[in-house]
Amino acid sequence: MSQKLIIANWKMNPQTQKEADKIFSGILLSVKNIKNTSVVVCPPSLFIGNLKKNNKILIGAQNVSGFSDGAYTGEISAKMLKDKNITYSIVGHSESRASGDSNELINKKINLLLKNKLNIVLCIGEKERDHNGFYLSFIKKQLHECLAGISKSQIKNIVIAYEPIWAIGVDALREADVSEFIEMSIFIKKIIGDMYDVKTAHDIGILYGGSVHPENAESFLIEGRASGLLVGRDSLNAKKFSKILICADKIK
Ligand code: PGA
């Protein structure tokens, strides 16, 4: 990945279409001068249809059903996303995992998204870090099970977002240190290398997510060599999100 990929995950926010349109317009204004960065906004699906059409911001989904179609109340299929010109979908976010998404179900979702030619942001991350390094085997299991049966050519459509749960949201213990992200990137690449090959490991994009702010974005992107960022709270503030975009865009 040469261009940085910056993803806004709005989660279940904001509460009205009016507010969603306002934040989106604010982001749209700032992307006018963005040239080297891919920008994806993942709003609540109800708001998508109304957001101003443009060729600067890609629209993503926050999750997708593990079934292709049928009697699944409340679910949205990969084919529906494709039909609405949605190009990315997050899967395996810790908040979706907390409401029941297992690695096995995430694997089904990935397969359906691939079948419908969508790009995938696969979130992984541990709840806590222990001195014995058990969190590393937890990450390894997430990757092995979520990517089971996914071929070398399919993985080109997948980026991994490392989001330690302890660094996410208002209850975050703290944000991750850049060194912790670097260590984890190396570990993820080692696992991908063992599962596929060295080139696949080299090429795979790894994003950082969890309390990303304009103040720490640059260090993850430059020192941490992150392929991009997954931004929660600060993506609901067009000014803050724009600062993150400007910072990503300066990096060659
Ligand atoms: P946060 O959320 O930036 O609000 O910590 C990140 C995420 O959950 O994707």
Side-chain angles (χ1 to χ4, degrees):
M1 281 175 75
S2 49
Q3 287 205 329
K4 299 291 180 193
L5 173 63
I6 309 294
I7 306 181
N9 178 12
W10 286 2
K11 309 191 179 184
M12 200 171 72
N13 298 296
Q15 296 308 304
T16 63
Q17 180 80 56
K18 199 171 163 194
E19 287 170 277
D21 293 347
K22 193 169 167 215
I23 302 167
F24 194 77
S25 304
I27 298 175
L28 197 52
L29 256 184
S30 70
V31 293
K32 276 201 179 125
N33 301 319
I34 298 291
K35 293 193 172 63
N36 301 311
T37 309
S38 304
V39 185
V40 181
V41 174
C42 306
S45 20
L46 269 181
F47 296 152
I48 290 174
N50 215 48
L51 299 177
K52 217 179 197 161
K53 301 273 170 300
N54 69 92
N55 55 9
K56 286 279 203 173
I57 303 176
L58 298 168
I59 300 296
Q62 297 175 11
N63 205 350
V64 65
S65 175
F67 302 96
S68 58
D69 60 274
Y72 301 101
T73 304
E75 301 270 6
I76 292 177
S77 72
K79 201 166 181 178
M80 292 173 187
L81 298 182
K82 186 70 186 174
D83 186 58
K84 290 285 171 192
N85 295 323
I86 289 165
T87 46
Y88 275 85
S89 180
I90 297 173
V91 287
H93 190 281
S94 57
E95 287 150 14
S96 314
R97 289 178 187 265
S99 43
D101 280 14
S102 62
N103 290 334
E104 197 190 356
L105 179 58
I106 293 162
N107 178 262
K108 285 191 182 146
K109 295 182 178 197
I110 291 177
N111 275 293
L112 287 164
L113 290 165
L114 288 168
K115 198 171 157 199
N116 286 283
K117 301 197 166 20
L118 272 99
N119 298 300
I120 295 152
V121 182
L122 168 62
C123 299
I124 56 170
E126 76 283 358
K127 203 165 173 193
E128 56 192 10
R129 289 197 168 200
D130 58 291
H131 294 303
N132 297 317
F134 287 128
Y135 68 95
L136 294 172
S137 13
F138 181 81
I139 295 289
K140 186 173 177 181
K141 190 169 187 288
Q142 285 190 325
L143 284 168
H144 273 259
E145 294 183 358
C146 292
L147 296 175
I150 304 299
S151 72
K152 209 162 81 177
S153 64
Q154 289 175 315
I155 198 138
K156 293 192 179 103
N157 301 306
I158 302 178
V159 291
I160 310 286
Y162 172 59
E163 295 210 303
I165 300 175
W166 47 265
I168 295 177
V170 277
D171 296 327
L173 209 61
R174 59 178 175 86
E175 63 199 43
D177 286 343
V178 176
S179 60
E180 290 168 320
F181 173 70
I182 294 174
E183 173 205 69
M184 191 52 84
S185 290
I186 295 169
F187 184 68
I188 293 169
K189 284 190 183 272
K190 161 89 178 82
I191 296 165
I192 297 292
D194 292 344
M195 289 175 78
Y196 299 92
D197 55 24
V198 177
K199 183 168 177 351
T200 310
H202 174 267
D203 292 347
I204 193 141
I206 304 180
L207 316 181
Y208 171 75
S211 299
V212 171
H213 306 302
E215 298 74 30
N216 62 14
E218 191 172 275
S219 57
F220 284 108
L221 293 170
I222 296 184
E223 289 162 53
R225 296 168 143 260
S227 312
L229 302 165
L230 184 48
V231 189
R233 281 157 294 160
D234 279 7
S235 69
L236 287 156
N237 179 317
K239 272 201 183 124
K240 288 187 181 178
F241 191 63
S242 304
K243 280 188 186 162
I244 295 172
L245 294 179
I246 291 165
C247 146
D249 208 52
K250 282 194 307 219
I251 301 165
K252 289 277 174 312

